[in-house]
Amino acid sequence: MVRLIFSDLDDTFLATDKTIPDKNREMLEEACGRGIQFVPCTGRNTNGIPSSIAEYGCVHYAICCNGALVADLDRGEVIHEVDIEKEEVHQLFRALEGLPITFDLFADGHVLTAEDRWRFLDEIPVTEPTRIHIKEVRTCYPGSVEDMIDAAKNICRINIFYLDNDTRDRVWEAVDSFSDLIRASSQPCNVEVTKNGADKGAGLLWLADHLGVPVEETVAFGDSSNDIAMLKAAGDGVAVANARPECLAAADHIAQSNDKGGVGLYMEELLRRQ
């Protein structure tokens, strides 16, 4: 029996144009009727959870920032957070300062990009709907990255967009030099940095335990490397057909693509047997 559904948003639950496919909407309505909770499990911060999802009666919690943060959406509260120490954030930035990258901070319920690096958001190789979303959920910080780090209260994730593979390799090398940091990605041009142990799988396990739900009664959906830990942690880990090869390899099952409403179609069949 399924009691908790965890799903990545971009390119998994959401279509490529960032809309919700009809089959996924039907699934949310079915979940409401059955008392099954749907948990967005995303790299986004809390300000990036679409109201068109949060408004459903089966949506009470969200796992954000790649698992570094768990939010109670009904109360508007963060109930679990794993932060990166500020000095460590400064050290990582200083190792990368001269590169043509963003250095976005997921902090205090927002995503911050320093004004002198905002221009890179118009240069990264992403689809236009993705670019629009990236810019909509970010706040342009009127100062330097160093000032931005100092002004933040709690930093739970760093996102770095880069423009070429050489820069990517240098970013990876710098992140890997910190033994207590981990990296993943959701786009071909980004690196997502959290504290070691703060991933979507850890977020899933924490929330399931918090709600008293056995892991065997959870199902999770994803498409990218930042979803792999979640697929492995869930009772049933499902990759959508458009997922990256490493995500497909980690999954227990494969659903149809995000644009076809693969999450809803898979759950329709699963709930029919329940």
Side-chain angles (χ1 to χ4, degrees):
M1 182 177 74
V2 175
R3 293 172 59 189
L4 287 174
I5 303 167
F6 295 85
S7 181
D8 173 57
L9 295 181
D10 300 293
D11 297 320
T12 299
F13 190 77
L14 298 177
T16 304
D17 64 1
K18 305 301 180 184
T19 60
I20 304 174
D22 289 341
K23 277 296 179 181
N24 291 352
R25 288 188 180 278
E26 292 173 13
M27 184 275 292
L28 289 174
E29 293 168 1
E30 180 76 5
C32 289
R34 288 175 175 256
I36 299 170
Q37 293 196 51
F38 178 83
V39 182
C41 197
T42 176
R44 302 181 184 201
N45 210 329
T46 52
N47 69 327
I49 303 297
S51 59
S52 57
I53 294 176
E55 67 188 9
Y56 279 87
C58 58
V59 181
H60 303 286
Y61 301 91
I63 294 174
C64 300
C65 305
N66 282 356
L69 183 153
V70 181
D72 182 325
L73 298 179
D74 295 336
R75 297 182 178 182
E77 296 177 354
V78 173
I79 57 175
H80 176 68
E81 185 169 355
V82 180
D83 293 324
I84 307 172
E85 291 82 0
K86 278 193 181 184
E87 182 52 39
E88 197 162 37
V89 178
H90 276 298
Q91 290 173 9
L92 179 59
F93 175 67
R94 289 164 189 159
L96 300 170
E97 187 172 4
L99 298 178
I101 58 170
T102 67
F103 197 86
D104 311 323
L105 302 185
F106 285 60
D108 312 322
H110 301 282
V111 185
L112 306 173
T113 303
E115 60 182 347
D116 64 341
R117 293 176 182 267
W118 187 267
R119 69 185 187 279
F120 294 126
L121 299 179
D122 290 318
E123 300 178 32
I124 55 176
V126 295
T127 65
E128 201 53 34
T130 296
R131 190 186 317 281
I132 291 170
H133 162 71
I134 286 171
K135 296 175 78 171
E136 282 180 344
V137 299
R138 276 164 172 73
T139 298
C140 183
Y141 182 82
S144 69
V145 173
E146 298 276 13
D147 290 341
M148 184 172 72
I149 296 169
D150 287 333
K153 183 178 179 182
N154 298 305
I155 301 168
C156 63
R157 182 188 147 189
I158 302 163
N159 178 83
I160 298 169
F161 284 117
Y162 52 82
L163 305 180
D164 57 68
N165 289 342
D166 178 62
T167 303
R168 176 202 63 194
D169 293 344
R170 293 173 68 181
V171 171
W172 285 7
E173 182 180 4
V175 175
D176 292 346
S177 70
F178 291 81
S179 61
D180 62 338
L181 299 180
I182 57 174
R183 59 176 168 84
S185 67
S186 58
Q187 297 288 337
C189 59
N190 86 324
V191 175
E192 303 167 354
V193 183
T194 55
K195 199 76 171 176
N196 189 19
D199 56 47
K200 291 186 181 183
L204 180 154
L205 294 173
W206 188 92
L207 184 59
D209 180 71
H210 178 73
L211 297 176
V213 176
V215 172
E216 294 76 18
E217 297 178 3
T218 68
V219 59
F221 297 87
D223 76 293
S224 296
S225 69
N226 66 355
D227 298 315
I228 291 174
M230 175 177 67
L231 299 191
K232 290 182 176 180
D236 184 12
V238 185
V240 286
N242 55 287
R244 295 185 186 180
E246 63 270 25
C247 190
L248 290 167
D252 299 311
H253 298 101
I254 309 298
Q256 293 195 42
S257 71
N258 65 316
D259 286 327
K260 292 183 178 180
V263 173
L265 288 168
Y266 186 91
M267 289 305 306
E268 180 179 62
E269 179 60 29
L270 189 61
L271 293 176
R272 185 180 294 125
R273 303 195 303 267
Q274 192 167 288

